[in-house]
Amino acid sequence: MIYILLSTYNGSKYLGEFLESLSSQNITDWVLMARDDGSSDDTKSILAAFAVANPRKVEIVPDNENLGASGSFGKLLSIAVGKNECEYIMFADQDDVWLPDKISKTYAKMQALENRYGKDTPLLIHTDLKVVDVDLDIIDESFWHYQYLNPKYQKLHSLIMQNNITGCTMMINARLAKLVLPIPSQAIMHDWWIGLVAAKFGKIGYLDSPTILYRQHSSNDTGAKRFSYMEIAKKAFTLFQKKDIYTAHLDKNIAQASAFLDRYSDLLGDDDTRMLYDLLSLKNSSFIRKRQILFEHGLQKQGFVRNIALALRV
C-alpha cells in the first residue's frame, strides 16, 4: 500500500484542487494520511468532507500543534511507518495539482529500482515538475530547467551543499522511511534530510518528466525562483560585501551536516566522516583552508555561477 502524507496549513484556497487531482489518479492502491498544522481557515473542514466522501481512503491525524512543514511531515512519517500495510510513502503539498499518472509512473520506477537493488535497499524516487502560476498557467515546463538543476547529482557531497529533490515528487520505500527517522530539528527540510540518507545508504532514481503542477504564489512555504545568472551574480557581490547576510544560510547547512554526522557516525566511512568534519570546521578555517575544503571534497553547488558565489561568500 502507498501512503500519501499531506501536511496542511491554511490551505483552503487550493486544497480542493489538490484533492480532486488525487481522486483522479489512474491507480487506486493508496491511502491519504493528513495532518493539519494549526489552520485557522476552512482547511480542516475540507479535509473532513473529503474523508467522509472517501471513508476507506483517508486517515486524518487529530493534532492541532504547529510544528512547521518539516516537523509535521516528520510526525506523519513516524505514524505511517508503524503500519504494517505501509510499503511506500509519498509526500503531498496542499496547493499543487497532481497529473493523473503521477502515482503510477513513480511506482513503476520504484519497482524497477527494487528489481535492480532489492526491496531491502533504501530507495527514493523523485520527478520533475511543471512550474505554474496561481491559475495553473505554465511558467516553465520543467522545474529543473527553471532552477538550473541536474538530478544526476546524487552523491552525499553534492546533496549536502544543494538539494535537488522536491518533496512533493518523492516516493520512498519503508526501509528508507525507517532509516531517516526521527527527522531532527536541524534538518533544513524533510525532503533534504531524506535525500541525504538515501544518497549515503541507499539508491536514488528519478523521472525526467513532470508529474505535478507546482503552483507558485505568495503563500508558498517553499517555492521556485527562476535561475538567473544576473541575479546570482548580484547576490554573490552583495554577499561578498556583507558576509553576515550569508551566515544564517551557512549555519543551517552546517547544523544539518552536524546532525547527520551525529546520527550516522557509526555507519559512515572514513572519507565521508572527514568530509563532514571538514565542513563543520569551515566557518572557523582560514581563507585558503576554506577553499581547500570545498575543492578537496567536491563541496559544490550546481552551475559555474553558483560556485563562484559560493567561493566568494565563504
Side-chain angles (χ1 to χ4, degrees):
M1 180 68 73
I2 300 168
Y3 269 67
I4 300 168
L5 308 186
L6 172 66
S7 176
T8 59
Y9 181 72
N10 289 340
S12 60
K13 186 174 183 179
Y14 304 115
L15 180 57
E17 287 180 280
F18 163 70
L19 295 173
E20 183 179 347
S21 73
L22 185 57
S23 297
S24 300
Q25 292 296 301
N26 61 9
I27 186 173
T28 60
D29 189 22
W30 54 263
V31 170
L32 176 68
M33 178 182 286
R35 176 191 179 277
D36 188 74
D37 204 37
S39 294
S40 57
D41 63 1
D42 295 330
T43 296
K44 286 183 281 189
S45 62
I46 295 171
L47 281 175
F50 187 72
V52 170
N54 302 272
R56 293 183 295 275
K57 303 293 289 180
V58 182
E59 180 178 337
I60 297 179
V61 176
D63 189 350
N64 291 316
E65 184 181 4
N66 184 268
L67 302 175
S70 187
S72 186
F73 276 114
K75 186 163 188 177
L76 284 167
L77 188 59
S78 65
I79 296 172
V81 297
K83 296 181 177 293
N84 293 330
E85 67 272 23
C86 177
E87 298 178 276
Y88 310 100
I89 294 164
M90 302 181 78
F91 301 82
D93 290 343
Q94 63 191 10
D95 44 12
D96 298 326
V97 172
W98 286 17
L99 300 180
D101 57 357
K102 171 179 167 58
I103 299 178
S104 59
K105 288 175 68 174
T106 309
Y107 179 54
K109 183 67 175 181
M110 174 64 75
Q111 287 182 305
L113 252 66
E114 285 184 336
N115 290 336
R116 182 175 181 181
Y117 298 110
K119 287 192 174 184
D120 290 333
T121 301
L123 299 174
L124 182 154
I125 306 296
H126 66 115
T127 80
D128 201 355
L129 317 86
K130 291 187 179 184
V131 184
V132 300
D133 64 16
V134 293
D135 299 317
L136 302 183
D137 294 324
I138 301 294
I139 297 173
D140 199 303
E141 292 285 345
S142 167
F143 173 73
W144 294 339
H145 170 264
Y146 189 72
Q147 286 274 280
Y148 199 77
L149 294 173
N150 188 340
K152 293 181 180 180
Y153 288 86
Q154 299 178 357
K155 300 297 184 181
L156 180 63
H157 68 270
S158 296
L159 291 181
I160 204 78
M161 296 301 293
Q162 182 175 2
N163 185 33
N164 61 17
I165 298 169
T166 308
C168 56
T169 74
M170 287 195 311
M171 175 183 283
I172 64 175
N173 63 359
R175 179 71 184 91
L176 177 57
K178 293 173 182 177
L179 189 59
V180 304
L181 288 170
I183 296 176
S185 60
Q186 299 94 329
I188 297 174
M189 279 299 291
H190 62 285
D191 52 8
W192 200 337
W193 179 262
I194 294 169
L196 294 177
V197 178
K200 177 56 188 173
F201 303 110
K203 299 293 181 181
I204 298 174
Y206 64 90
L207 293 169
D208 58 7
S209 58
T211 61
I212 188 173
L213 303 182
Y214 191 40
R215 195 195 306 259
Q216 301 302 297
H217 55 84
S218 59
S219 300
N220 283 100
D221 186 66
T222 57
K225 294 179 177 62
R226 183 183 294 275
F227 179 87
S228 164
Y229 286 106
M230 183 60 69
E231 287 302 315
I232 291 291
K234 288 179 180 177
K235 191 175 295 184
F237 181 71
T238 300
L239 290 169
F240 182 71
Q241 290 182 309
K242 300 179 180 179
K243 291 191 177 183
D244 57 306
I245 297 175
Y246 177 63
T247 300
H249 298 284
L250 183 59
D251 285 348
K252 288 181 180 180
N253 275 90
I254 290 175
Q256 181 169 252
S258 178
F260 191 88
L261 180 60
D262 289 343
R263 174 75 61 80
Y264 302 110
S265 58
D266 293 340
L267 303 176
L268 296 171
D270 292 341
D271 289 344
D272 285 325
T273 298
R274 187 163 59 88
M275 179 268 289
L276 290 168
Y277 272 119
D278 282 350
L279 177 58
L280 268 54
S281 72
L282 195 64
K283 285 183 65 177
N284 297 320
S285 298
S286 68
F287 179 89
I288 294 176
R289 179 57 184 155
K290 286 177 180 178
R291 284 141 189 85
Q292 286 178 333
I293 289 171
L294 295 178
F295 179 78
E296 179 182 351
H297 298 293
L299 295 171
Q300 299 179 347
K301 292 181 176 291
Q302 293 191 28
F304 175 76
V305 175
R306 282 193 178 110
N307 284 306
I308 291 296
L310 176 63
L312 286 174
R313 65 193 189 186
V314 297

